[in-house]
Amino acid sequence: MARANGNPPHDDSGAPRSVSRPHRPLYRTVYPFRILGMGLSSLPVGVVLAQQQAGAMAWALLLFSGLLWPHLALWRSRRSRNPERTERANLLVDSAIAALWVPLMHFNLLPSALILTLATVDKINTGIRGLWQRSLPGMAGAIVLGGLLTGFAFAPETSMPVIIACMPILLIHTVAVSLNGYRLVRRVHYQNRRLDELSRTDPLTGLDNRRQWEEHAQHVLERQRTGRGPATLVMVDLDSFKAVNDERGHAAGDDVLRSVAAVLRECIGDRGRAVRYGGDEFAAALEVDEPQALEIAESIRRRVGELSFVAAPALRCTVSLGVASASPGMSLRRWMAAADSALYDAKDQGRDRVATPGRNPHAAATDRARAAAR
Ligand SMILES: Nc1nc2c(ncn2[C@@H]2O[C@H](COP(=O)(O)OP(=O)(O)OP(=O)(O)O)[C@@H](O)[C@H]2O)c(=O)[nH]1
């Protein structure tokens, strides 16, 4: 009888599902935001350029930043040997392009403030530590460069057409960024919940782990102590399980452990909780009296004996079980020792049987059940 460990979201076998999801490359997350941000910010910039009667160079630059750059950035990242690093560089280019428009728009107040803010928000939104601070020198450099090209022309007044042209980027981009943040928060909540569930579970069988189960067992004992119901413990141990591992391999052994855990779950139902207490040893704290627990134990014994395994059709398993009801004031430790000693009795008497403390297991439920089956 080896001692080790052993109810979160499970797959069909009862074992818990993993927390992780496939990693999405940064450039795929950024791409739609870049199209949206660059595309929509072209609107107020275009209106300002039209009001300034800007030259062909400025319009060519607008065409590049608003329409071409998002796709060029995606292409650069996709073909890069280090897409993550290339995309981070692309993000810094985004900020420099955005800042360049500030002097080219002659510091038109509303679109300049909007574009600089959104470029920074986009960097923060990536969640990459320090990225927005690293974008500042490039933005400052772009403002100086654009200022030198325009002679630092300064016309900060914003006309009504420009204000109207700012509305789509202001509204749509803000909502899109917020939705993305919302999605991330939801995912963090989900993963925290899953981690919490996994920390309370035996990964192989999906049963409670020891810490979780002992809390439940203490609760069952407390109910019994305060006269709110009976408490009976069932210890279950696979017979000669080492031979299963030795002869059919560890994977077959794991199949057996999962199947026994499923039998325990089904036989116990809502009358208690089970734990994989050791390698091939299980325990269940039940809110039932001893005769009912003996019935449950007997059904576990019988159902395990009926198990069959696709990968090992000839394999048959049996379990020995010890059943002990709690007496008033009993500690969990003493309760478990009583059930454990009954389990050892069942082993000593030849295995594949149910025993209670201080009783001859041959006189116990198992033999009555066998007689009835004959
Ligand atoms: N496949 C598998 N085997 C395990 C796991 N944990 C423990 N074991 C094995 O369980 C076996 C327990 O063997 P023993 O304690 O000798 O008990 P037994 O062979 O069942 O003998 P009895 O209890 O006396 O009937 C050992 O071979 C362990 O390696 C596990 O998670 N998976």
Side-chain angles (χ1 to χ4, degrees), residues 234-278:
V234 179
M235 298 288 282
V236 184
D237 191 84
L238 273 149
D239 296 328
S240 309
F241 182 60
K242 187 170 178 309
V244 176
N245 274 331
D246 291 350
E247 289 162 22
R248 301 178 189 262
H250 209 264
D254 283 354
D255 280 349
V256 171
L257 292 171
R258 275 191 288 263
S259 300
V260 170
V263 168
L264 280 168
R265 233 185 254 115
E266 281 168 31
C267 292
I268 292 167
D270 59 4
R271 292 173 289 188
R273 297 180 75 111
V275 60
R276 181 156 79 109
Y277 208 82

Side-chain angles (χ1 to χ4, degrees), residues 73-372:
L74 177 69
W75 177 78
R76 267 168 48 80
S77 294
R78 269 192 172 152
R79 65 187 290 274
S80 168
R81 278 209 202 144
N82 187 339
E84 179 83 17
R85 200 168 62 197
T86 306
E87 189 54 32
R88 288 180 188 217
N90 287 342
L91 284 160
L92 297 179
V93 174
D94 291 347
S95 292
I97 292 175
L100 187 60
W101 283 115
V102 171
L104 297 185
M105 289 191 296
H106 302 174
F107 299 91
N108 196 305
L109 198 56
L110 181 62
S112 297
L114 197 57
I115 286 172
L116 291 177
T117 306
L118 295 185
T120 307
V121 165
D122 278 346
K123 305 297 103 57
I124 296 170
N125 193 34
T126 61
I128 299 169
R129 187 196 291 266
L131 185 68
W132 75 270
Q133 288 100 325
R134 267 181 281 139
S135 72
L136 297 180
M139 290 170 87
I143 291 173
V144 171
L145 176 68
L148 291 172
L149 289 172
T150 57
F152 285 96
F154 189 65
E157 300 81 14
T158 303
S159 67
M160 185 50 80
V162 177
I163 293 174
I164 293 170
C166 285
M167 290 302 116
I169 176 101
L170 188 63
L171 303 177
I172 298 172
H173 187 272
T174 308
V175 170
V177 169
S178 304
L179 284 175
N180 190 51
Y182 173 79
R183 201 169 50 82
L184 288 173
V185 169
R186 298 286 312 159
R187 191 189 298 170
V188 168
H189 281 175
Y190 167 81
Q191 293 189 333
N192 282 346
R193 220 174 49 232
R194 292 283 302 112
L195 284 171
D196 182 51
E197 286 159 351
L198 288 172
S199 73
R200 291 186 269 121
T201 309
D202 168 40
L204 180 68
T205 61
L207 293 177
D208 283 351
N209 67 19
R210 251 161 106 156
R211 184 171 56 91
Q212 176 75 10
W213 179 81
E214 281 175 5
E215 273 175 30
H216 168 75
Q218 288 287 7
H219 168 74
V220 176
L221 266 185
E222 184 59 19
R223 281 183 81 245
Q224 191 265 356
R225 194 183 64 79
T226 52
R228 286 177 291 145
T232 309
L233 191 68
V234 179
M235 298 288 282
V236 184
D237 191 84
L238 273 149
D239 296 328
S240 309
F241 182 60
K242 187 170 178 309
V244 176
N245 274 331
D246 291 350
E247 289 162 22
R248 301 178 189 262
H250 209 264
D254 283 354
D255 280 349
V256 171
L257 292 171
R258 275 191 288 263
S259 300
V260 170
V263 168
L264 280 168
R265 233 185 254 115
E266 281 168 31
C267 292
I268 292 167
D270 59 4
R271 292 173 289 188
R273 297 180 75 111
V275 60
R276 181 156 79 109
Y277 208 82
D280 64 343
E281 188 170 11
F282 300 80
L286 307 178
E287 297 174 19
V288 299
D289 58 21
E290 192 176 301
Q292 288 172 302
L294 282 168
E295 268 177 38
I296 294 171
E298 186 54 40
S299 69
I300 293 169
R301 189 197 65 76
R302 195 177 23 94
R303 296 270 307 271
V304 170
E306 293 166 357
L307 284 174
S308 60
F309 304 89
V310 181
L315 177 60
R316 291 288 173 271
C317 299
T318 60
V319 281
S320 299
L321 303 96
V323 176
S325 54
S327 46
M330 202 176 213
S331 67
L332 177 60
R333 205 185 163 112
R334 274 189 53 218
W335 194 25
M336 292 194 67
D340 219 16
S341 123
L343 171 58
Y344 273 97
D345 283 350
K347 291 272 183 192
D348 284 348
Q349 297 293 329
R351 298 183 169 80
D352 188 18
R353 64 196 57 236
V354 180
T356 50
R359 279 201 217 160
N360 180 342
H362 290 291
T366 305
D367 294 329
R368 290 199 301 276
R370 281 188 179 136

